[in-house]
Structure formats: C-alpha cells, structure tokens
Amino acid sequence: MKKRPLSSFTVCWVAGSAAACKLSFSSMILAWAGMLLLLAALAIWGKLSWKYIAVLGLAFLLAGCYWEWNEGRNVSVLPEVLALESVEGAEVSVQARGTIISTVERDGDRVDFTIGIKGISRSQNLTPLTDETWVKVKEERVLVQVKLEAESEINVAAGWHRGDQVILNGSLEQPSTARNFDGFDYRAYLLTKEVHWILKIAGTNQVKAAAPSSWSFGSLLRWNDGVRKGMGAEMDRLFDERNSGYMKGLVIGMQEDLDAATFMQFSQLGLTHILVISGMQVAIYVAVLLFILLRMQLTRETAQTLVLFMIPIYVLLSGAGPSIIRAGIMAMIALFAARVGVLKDGFNILSASALLMLVWNPYFLLSVSFQLSFLVTAGLMIYVPLANPLLTGLPRWIGGTLAVTLVAQLVSFPLTIYYFNQFSILSIAANFMLVPMITFVTLPLGVAALLLGRIWTGAAKLTVTVTEWLNQFTFSMVEWMNDWSAGVTIWRSPSLYWISVYYLLLYILLYACKKWIESRYTPIYMEDETRPLEGLHPNSSYAVAVTPYSTPFALLWSPVSISLLTLCFVVLLYKGYQPKDHSGRGEISFFDVGQGDSMLITTPGGSNILVDGGGTVSFGQKEEWRIRRSPFEVGAKVLLPLLKKRGIHRLDAIILTHGDQDHAGGLQAVLEGIPVSALLFNGTVADSEPYIKLMKTALEHDVQLYSVHEGMRVSPDEDTELMFLWPEIRSNMEEELPVVDEQNHDSVAFRLSMNGCSFLFTGDMDKEAEEVIMERYPQFTAQAYPQVDVLKAAHHGSKTSSSERWIKYWSPTTTVISAGVNNSYGHPSPEVLERLASDSIQILRTDQRGEIQMKVSEGVILMRYKLK
C-alpha cells in the first residue's frame, strides 16, 4: 500500500470534522472508536506502522475537537446585550454602529451588505451614541438589508463601500429557518457565515456612512471591490446585456447580472461550473504568465516565484470563492513545490490545500462549491488513469478530453443529485462539446476584450464581435439541447451509504475494465528463467503459458465479473432513481408556502397528486427599478425544490382549486420543471395574466385539462378515491369557459378516502357553497354519517367559511389551517379558532408547525411536524 501521509491525514481530518458536524457528543465518541478499529484493520492488512495509525487517529480526534471549539465560539452575544427574554421570533428596534465588511450589493429595491457590529442600543437616532446609550460588543457579523423607498436612493447606496463606518437604525430579526422537511434552511446557511441576525432598514435615511480614516487590510479589499466593479462596468460597456452578464461570470466570477433563463438552461445541462472561476481558469492564467515571463528571458525559477506572488491577485479579482481559493492554493503550492522540490505528488498538493482551507474556516466543509471542487479534482486524479485505457482507440486529444469529461460528470453526479436533484442525460455531451471551446477560446477572447477596451478600440470591437458570435452559438446549442425535456431526470437526495457504494463500485468497475483491456495485450507466452530440477539441460530455458487470469485477483477483471459489476452499478442507479417506497402507506404533506395553499397527496399505489401550488401575491405593477433579478417566488424557490427532493418524477395530476394567485401562482414553476399528466380545475377562467400564462403552459406541455364538478369520482388506485363535492354542474355547457373574477365560491372541494381514512379539501370556498354541499351530499354517497378524519379549513381559516353547522356536519378530529406567519389578513380568524376549539377539534396550523405530514395506514394516521 502506497503511503501518502498528508493525504491520509487530511482525509481523517475531513472525516472528523464531518462526524462532529453531524453527530451528537456520544455518537462522536462511538465514531472515534469505530475509526480507531478501522485504522487498526488497515494497519494489519496494509502493514502500516502503529505510529502512522496513531497520527491518523489523532487527526480524526483533533478535527472533531476543532469543529466543536469553533461551534462554541459561533454564538451571538446580542440577546444578552439587548436583554432579550426570547430569541425565537424576536424583532427588536435598534441602533447599531460598526464597519461594512463585505461588498455592497444592490438587487432592485434592496441593498445587502454585512457589518461587523461594535456597538448597539435600543434607542434610535443618527447622532453619535454616548456611553450611556450604547453598549460596546465584541465585533459580531450582522447581515443588513436596506429597502430603498425611492429611485433617488440608488445613488446614495452606491456611495457605500467596504470599510465604511456606519450608524444604522432598523429592526433586528433572526433569519428564517426551514419550514418544510428537506427545505432550505437560511438560518443554518448564515450560521456558516457566522451571521446570526438580519438588520432590516427602511430607506437610506436610516443609514449614516463615513469612509475609513486610516489604512487597514480592509482597505485592500475595498480597493479590490472597486477594481472588480470597474471591470464589470467595462464589460457592460463592451457587450450587450445578455452577453455582458455571461462574460462577467466567465471572466471575473460575477454572476449577479447573469440572465436568469440562461443560468437555468446551463444548470439543467450541468454547465454552471463554467460560470465559476476554478482550476481551469487558474491553470490558463498561470500558463500565460509563465509563458510571458519566460519570453522576457527570465529564469524559470524567477518566473515561478513571480507567478507565485501574482496568483493571490487573480484570486481576489475573481471574487475569492471556495473553488478559486482551492485552485489558487493548489497552484501556489505546486509552484513552490517545483521551486524547492517538495510535495510533487498531486494528492499531497490537493490535501494541503484542503487542510489549509479547513483550518482557516471549518465551515468551508459545508460549502457545495468546496465539496464539488475538491471531490471532482480528486476524482480526476483517481479515475482518469483508469478511464484512459478504455479510450485508446480514439485519437489522443479526443480520448483525453472525453476521459476528463466523462470522469468529471461521473464523480460529480452523486453530489449533483444530492443538492440539485436533477441530472441531464445530455450533460456529458454538452460538456464535451462546449467546455473546451468556452475555456480555450471564449474565455481568452473575453479577457482580451477587457484588456483592449481602453487602449485599442478597434481590436476590442472585433474581439467582442467574435466573442458574441461564439456566445450566440453556445446559447443556441444549450437551448437546443434543453428542448429535449425528457433528457432531464429527477432524483431524490441519496443517502451517504448510497453515495459511498457508488464511488466504490465505480472504482472497482473502471479498474476491472482497465485490467481487462491491458490483459488483452499481455503476451500469451513468457520466458521463465527458473531451471527445472530434472528432465531438461541445466542451461536451457523453457516457455510457460500465462493466461490473463493467472493472478489471485485476476478473476475480478474477467468479462463475467465486469458484466456482474456493471449490473450491480445499474441496479444501484435504479434504486437511487426510484421514489421512496411507502410500503402500501399513503402520505399527505401540507406544505408551508406562506399565505397560500399547497398539498401533496401520495397514494398507496404511488400516484402523486398536487393540490394547489401557493403563490407570491404582488400588489400593483412595480416600477422597473424595483424589480429584482431573481425575486422570491414560492413555486420556484420552495415548492419545486421540495418535489424534486422527494424524487417526484411526474405528477399524475394537479388539482387547481381556483384561480387566485395564492393557490395558482406557484404552479407555473411546477409545470415548467416537472412532467404533469393532468390538470383538474373548476371549469372557470380567472381574468389575470398569470392564470392565462399557466393554462397556456399546460397546453404547451401536453397536459390534459379536465373541468371537474360535483358528483365526479377519480380512483388513482384500489385504496384511494377522490369524490368531488364542488363546484356545482353548470346548467348551460358553454363552448367557452366562463370568466369569473371572484373565484372563491367556485373552489374545487373533494373528499379523499385513502386506506380507510377520510380527508376533506375545500380550497377557498365560502359559506354559501358549504350550505349547498351539505344539502346535496347525501345524493352522492350511501353514507349516513359523513364524518371525516381531517378537514382542510377553507380560505386559510377565514371567517367567510367554516361555519358552525359545516364543522358539526363533518365532525373532523383534526383541522389543518394553511396560513402565513404574521399575515396581514389576520388569518386564521379568532372566531373560527374558537369554533373549532369548542368542539375539541385538534388544530394544526402551518404558520405554527411548518409543514404537516400525515402517513396513512389502514385506519391509522401518523402525524409529524417540521416545527415543534
């Protein structure tokens, strides 16, 4: 076994950090004991020294302790300083003073930056705080969000820069936590940035900023921000809007202005890594600098030393993201190693880079960019030598490019589906065709245009013209590939066990294929220099037959074994692709989508039915300057990711209860992101642009549209039935659907029977509809007693529905109310809550519990909630 001490130490350090992050203290002790046993087994099997094993065990332990130490330091002192009795949900009006320690970013009518707070008080004024009114604190990071109130404030905010001393008045709030199972946890994300609070400010008049009076390290970063801003402005001057956003991401790592549709198309094909400055760009940068310096007749040693000190400049100018930091550190270590003759092994260089970054900031370990960057780089080192022999029949440059592309996609695949839950079948082809052109042609042309822009206008214009033509070709290819919607596959997030088995099987399979190919070129006969004891002349030699499978492990790379390994690999992928097995149980998820409705019904037979999609309600037409590049939209930011996380490959049906935006708005992203078989709606049309766009999208995606009404029944499987109770059948069957402005009355209502349990879904129906249903319900069922187990309260618990007679009629044991936290409508109504409580009905609210899940077995409903 080849020993790589630094690589082994780093692997144990990463394992120890991960264990400390994910496990409790008692579990951590067990993990450390298990690691010691594993290392002991490796010592015996690999004949490693016990001193070597002890160092690796110590690395695992030290990493865990170091992580816990950092966790202990990463706490907020503000609750104690402000004497807050309760932190959860606290909103405190404060004045804070400190220093801007990040770039200042504007998106529409909001400006974001981070400050290091040095003093805070509950009094609010913009005069300097006195010792009696403010409390000094050890610098703590706080995210600041300034809502601009007028277009003229844009120029004011443009004058704020990193390093400015600021006094701020605003409301101090905790970041939101995940409110749905598998949902994005913004609070946990900011915690990795050591940010515990958000200071929300209304208007620039609540901010007083002054430039720093002395030089510090922050001044260097301030200068770097200015240079990057200038480079971005130059890109805007040279290129049109779409090309400028794309080239800024490609050349200087600024993705803020990248067209959202373009980014989505690149993402679906697994090409977003191109828009992140990483190892390839650094390699080109280093190679060009070395070439220029050597052409200037400098010695190789001098050139290497100069480039060594120039790499940090490029890292800073490129935004200093995890991937560029990794690439920069690796390049610096490689140059230093070449200069002094140490650490020449690529694994050691990669390991040193990872170790330095994790010691500097352990939370890098939780960064998706960090994980993908190091994993893909390590994967290329491990798997490319195994893949190269499989492509020996191709020209070397094609085979080498294809091997790198194939391995990069295979290695990144588990993390891609874990975090993004989708993978394009065309991803390998797209990367093979486009990445070399973008890296070696488009990128250098973009850099050349940026450099020539101010010194040689004619050459810059020509370069820009060629670059934009290449970009148009790239965009067209990406759009063309994305037209094949079936090429994008949806995967649920795999387990750590699945990921580990995947990498192990992939290595064994490629190793076996490599050995099999090599064995085909092994001579069948070899001369043996050993001498026989008898029967031959002592000086003679003789030939012996050597088969490709004569070594102890040779059977591993026989065609039969390779076929079995391939089958195992395919089975593993199939298992990972399959939705979660519910073992005959049904499941209903009441998502927390804020002030809106959205429920997912998964039947015992595996059918998936989405009821409504929530939606972000906007009031009036926004001024152009207020529009954000990527505004929050419930469907795209919450609902669609949740469905993908759960491995929903296709929705068998969407039931749209009515056309109000808080029920229909989120479905636009769902229709664009997941195949849908049928859309059931109330048979009316809402006269709104989003609703019309939704219906057009459904038709464009070949979704079958069905108008439902009272008396209709749908049975997805033998254990499930949906009986529709509303809307009523219209007397005249018009050719054109009627336009109805007030949609609540015509909301779809249906009774779901599943595994012996019953649920009533009611949309936003009103009391008038409730009365009609109670009169007509006996016509549609033989049940004498129409009791249901769970009632979904209509209209978010509004007093316009859920009458006393209605509640007594259905006699539910549990009522679910979907409403937004602190919503402006006052939902749910205290009157409705009192009515439900008087009948001893359990009340579950998404604004209090987050997502509510119900697992339905035969006559039994098991419930769990995201928030306790």
Side-chain angles (χ1 to χ4, degrees):
M1 179 182 291
K2 183 178 179 180
K3 288 200 294 185
R4 288 190 174 97
L6 184 55
S7 298
S8 302
F9 186 91
T10 303
V11 168
C12 290
W13 186 278
V14 170
S17 299
C21 173
K22 296 295 183 183
L23 303 177
S24 62
F25 179 76
S26 57
S27 299
M28 180 65 186
I29 297 298
L30 293 175
W32 188 61
M35 175 62 78
L36 289 180
L37 290 175
L38 176 62
L39 292 173
L42 288 175
I44 297 171
W45 178 67
K47 298 181 180 179
L48 303 176
S49 69
W50 287 102
K51 182 185 291 187
Y52 182 73
I53 294 301
V55 170
L56 298 184
L58 185 62
F60 184 86
L61 179 62
L62 286 176
C65 294
Y66 186 62
W67 182 280
E68 292 296 336
W69 178 71
N70 275 280
E71 286 280 270
R73 291 170 54 246
N74 189 14
V75 294
S76 175
V77 299
L78 297 186
E80 181 180 352
V81 170
L82 297 173
L84 299 180
E85 296 181 1
S86 175
V87 174
E88 192 65 39
E91 294 184 17
V92 187
S93 296
V94 299
Q95 179 184 112
R97 68 185 308 175
T99 305
I100 299 178
I101 58 175
S102 72
T103 56
V104 179
E105 303 286 350
R106 182 181 76 86
D107 183 10
D109 62 353
R110 200 179 82 184
V111 176
D112 291 2
F113 55 87
T114 303
I115 66 168
I117 282 187
K118 297 177 181 177
I120 195 165
S121 169
R122 288 204 178 194
S123 67
Q124 289 199 341
N125 57 74
L126 289 178
T127 58
L129 295 168
T130 64
D131 291 340
E132 291 77 21
T133 57
W134 72 288
V135 180
K136 291 182 179 180
V137 297
K138 184 179 179 181
E139 186 170 301
E140 177 173 336
R141 296 181 181 183
V142 172
L143 176 63
V144 178
Q145 296 178 345
V146 182
K147 181 72 175 295
L148 303 183
E149 297 185 330
E151 189 173 3
S152 59
E153 294 185 340
I154 294 176
N155 292 329
V156 178
W160 302 336
H161 302 287
R162 190 197 302 258
D164 285 354
Q165 304 297 313
V166 291
I167 301 176
L168 313 163
N169 282 335
S171 175
L172 197 65
E173 303 175 9
Q174 274 199 312
S176 59
T177 188
R179 301 187 60 85
N180 293 281
F181 294 103
D182 305 315
F184 176 66
D185 194 329
Y186 189 45
R187 184 180 300 177
Y189 168 76
L190 287 182
L191 192 65
T192 67
K193 311 292 183 184
E194 299 185 359
V195 172
H196 302 265
W197 296 91
I198 298 176
L199 184 60
K200 295 187 176 182
I201 298 172
T204 57
N205 62 332
Q206 299 300 313
V207 180
K208 183 177 180 181
S213 56
S214 59
W215 192 91
S216 65
F217 177 72
S219 302
L220 174 62
L221 299 178
R222 180 188 179 97
W223 171 84
N224 181 68
D225 293 342
V227 173
R228 281 175 53 79
K229 185 177 180 180
M231 293 166 66
E234 182 66 10
M235 285 290 194
D236 290 334
R237 188 182 72 85
L238 293 170
F239 295 91
D240 62 43
E241 184 176 357
R242 187 184 189 189
N243 281 283
S244 172
Y246 173 66
M247 294 307 296
K248 281 192 283 188
L250 191 63
V251 176
I252 53 181
M254 297 176 65
Q255 299 184 25
E256 294 83 3
D257 295 329
L258 182 64
D259 178 66
T262 301
F263 181 82
M264 179 61 68
Q265 290 174 340
F266 272 65
S267 176
Q268 289 191 167
L269 288 175
L271 290 169
T272 50
H273 62 92
I274 282 294
L275 305 173
V276 178
I277 306 294
S278 59
M280 184 59 71
Q281 287 91 330
V282 172
I284 294 174
Y285 173 76
V286 170
V288 170
L289 286 180
L290 285 174
F291 176 79
I292 293 173
L293 293 175
L294 291 174
R295 285 287 181 177
M296 294 171 63
Q297 304 302 312
L298 296 178
T299 65
R300 180 170 294 277
E301 290 76 12
T302 302
Q304 290 172 345
T305 302
L306 287 175
V307 173
L308 181 68
F309 288 103
M310 295 172 74
I311 289 174
I313 298 175
Y314 181 67
V315 171
L316 285 173
L317 291 177
S318 300
S323 59
I324 183 64
I325 292 174
R326 187 271 307 164
I329 292 176
M330 283 192 67
M332 293 175 69
I333 293 175
L335 287 170
F336 180 78
R339 185 76 174 80
V340 300
V342 298
L343 283 182
K344 294 183 178 180
D345 184 88
F347 281 103
N348 284 329
I349 295 174
L350 181 67
S351 301
S353 304
L355 195 58
L356 285 172
M357 290 182 69
L358 291 176
V359 170
W360 174 260
N361 182 2
Y363 293 119
F364 272 135
L365 184 64
L366 302 179
S367 164
V368 180
S369 179
F370 176 92
Q371 294 173 15
L372 281 170
S373 178
F374 277 95
L375 188 65
V376 171
T377 305
L380 292 174
M381 294 180 184
I382 295 170
Y383 292 103
V384 167
L386 301 178
N388 276 330
L390 309 181
L391 305 170
T392 51
L394 299 174
R396 177 171 295 183
W397 70 273
I398 295 180
T401 303
L402 185 57
V404 170
T405 302
L406 185 64
V407 167
Q409 294 300 305
L410 288 173
V411 170
S412 62
F413 172 73
L415 284 189
T416 299
I417 63 172
Y418 182 86
Y419 287 110
F420 308 111
N421 302 107
Q422 67 180 29
F423 181 80
S424 175
I425 297 173
L426 297 177
S427 178
I428 295 175
N431 277 269
F432 178 73
M433 289 190 295
L434 297 177
V435 169
M437 183 193 75
I438 295 172
T439 302
F440 297 110
V441 182
T442 307
L443 175 60
L445 285 174
V447 174
L450 186 61
L451 295 175
L452 293 170
R454 293 294 181 179
I455 60 177
W456 191 359
T457 305
K461 287 184 177 179
L462 177 60
T463 306
V464 167
T465 300
V466 175
T467 305
E468 289 186 340
W469 183 86
L470 288 172
N471 289 347
Q472 186 56 47
F473 172 77
T474 300
F475 298 153
S476 298
M477 287 294 295
V478 169
E479 290 172 6
W480 177 69
M481 289 184 177
N482 276 307
D483 283 342
W484 187 43
S485 57
V488 180
T489 58
I490 297 172
W491 299 69
R492 60 187 171 94
S493 296
S495 65
L496 180 60
Y497 171 77
W498 188 94
I499 294 174
S500 301
V501 174
Y502 173 92
Y503 284 122
L504 180 62
L505 266 179
L506 179 62
Y507 181 86
I508 295 174
L509 179 57
L510 289 178
Y511 181 82
C513 290
K514 173 178 179 289
K515 284 295 185 179
W516 177 70
I517 293 220
E518 290 175 348
S519 70
R520 296 173 62 191
Y521 300 98
T522 302
I524 297 301
Y525 291 95
M526 297 178 60
E527 186 148 310
D528 194 332
E529 295 181 353
T530 59
R531 297 176 181 176
L533 295 176
E534 58 182 359
L536 287 175
H537 191 276
N539 294 326
S540 66
S541 62
Y542 65 102
V544 295
V546 180
T547 69
Y549 315 116
S550 58
T551 61
F553 295 101
L555 287 177
L556 180 64
W557 51 82
S558 68
V560 174
S561 297
I562 291 175
S563 299
L564 289 175
L565 287 170
T566 303
L567 179 62
C568 290
F569 193 69
V570 170
V571 169
L572 180 72
L573 292 177
Y574 175 78
K575 288 290 186 182
Y577 181 72
Q578 289 301 300
K580 182 180 177 182
D581 182 14
H582 292 279
S583 302
R585 292 187 305 183
E587 185 173 303
I588 302 176
S589 296
F590 297 85
F591 294 126
D592 184 347
V593 290
Q595 185 61 19
D597 274 12
S598 186
M599 292 76 68
L600 176 66
I601 301 170
T602 301
T603 71
S607 297
N608 293 297
I609 301 170
L610 182 67
V611 183
D612 289 338
T616 304
V617 181
S618 58
F619 300 95
Q621 188 70 28
K622 279 190 175 183
E623 299 172 81
E624 186 176 352
W625 70 271
R626 291 185 180 274
I627 299 173
R628 298 176 187 173
R629 289 184 294 270
S630 181
F632 177 81
E633 198 283 307
V634 167
K637 302 290 187 181
V638 177
L639 185 56
L640 183 60
L642 286 176
L643 296 175
K644 289 183 175 181
K645 278 280 183 186
R646 298 169 196 206
I648 306 295
H649 305 140
R650 170 178 289 274
L651 286 170
D652 297 279
I654 289 177
I655 298 176
L656 174 57
T657 60
H658 62 297
D660 285 359
Q661 183 68 8
D662 59 336
H663 292 250
L667 295 178
Q668 181 67 38
V670 173
L671 285 175
E672 292 173 353
I674 291 181
V676 177
S677 298
L679 174 62
L680 285 62
F681 68 113
N682 64 0
T684 69
V685 175
D687 187 15
S688 67
E689 185 177 336
Y691 185 87
I692 294 172
K693 180 182 177 182
L694 176 70
M695 289 301 182
K696 286 183 177 179
T697 303
L699 292 173
E700 289 169 359
H701 286 74
D702 297 323
V703 179
Q704 298 295 314
L705 301 181
Y706 297 97
S707 171
V708 298
H709 55 74
E710 57 183 348
M712 290 181 62
R713 297 173 185 263
V714 175
S715 297
D717 55 55
E718 60 182 10
D719 298 307
T720 309
E721 182 186 68
L722 285 74
M723 182 172 67
F724 291 92
L725 309 177
W726 198 255
E728 59 186 337
I729 302 175
R730 298 187 179 276
S731 56
N732 55 332
M733 301 301 291
E734 304 172 11
E735 291 185 5
E736 293 187 1
L737 297 175
V739 177
V740 177
D741 291 329
E742 177 51 57
Q743 287 273 315
N744 288 349
H745 175 74
D746 290 304
S747 290
V748 173
F750 65 95
R751 187 179 194 273
L752 168 68
S753 300
M754 186 164 64
N755 275 348
C757 299
S758 55
F759 306 81
L760 186 62
F761 295 84
T762 53
D764 277 0
M765 65 188 304
D766 53 21
K767 291 180 180 178
E768 181 183 348
E770 291 175 354
E771 290 296 328
V772 178
I773 288 175
M774 285 186 287
E775 292 175 7
R776 297 180 180 177
Y777 181 75
Q779 302 175 21
F780 305 121
T781 178
Q783 292 177 318
Y785 184 58
Q787 190 262 346
V788 295
D789 297 294
V790 178
L791 167 67
K792 166 64 181 60
H795 204 178
H796 323 290
S798 167
K799 62 183 179 181
T800 60
S801 54
S802 301
S803 66
E804 184 174 357
R805 183 181 172 220
W806 175 260
I807 293 172
K808 291 186 180 297
Y809 184 83
W810 295 105
S811 301
T813 55
T814 301
T815 293
V816 176
I817 301 175
S818 181
V821 178
N822 299 325
N823 65 84
S824 59
Y825 303 96
H827 294 159
S829 164
E831 179 183 333
V832 172
L833 294 176
E834 183 179 349
R835 196 175 296 151
L836 292 168
S838 65
D839 288 340
S840 301
I841 297 171
Q842 180 186 22
I843 303 172
L844 300 178
R845 297 167 49 177
T846 58
D847 60 332
Q848 295 178 345
R849 302 279 191 159
E851 180 185 348
I852 300 164
Q853 282 189 358
M854 299 183 181
K855 299 184 185 297
V856 187
S857 302
E858 285 297 332
V860 178
I861 301 175
L862 299 177
M863 304 182 189
R864 68 168 183 158
Y865 328 106
K866 176 58 180 175
L867 305 178
K868 304 301 180 185

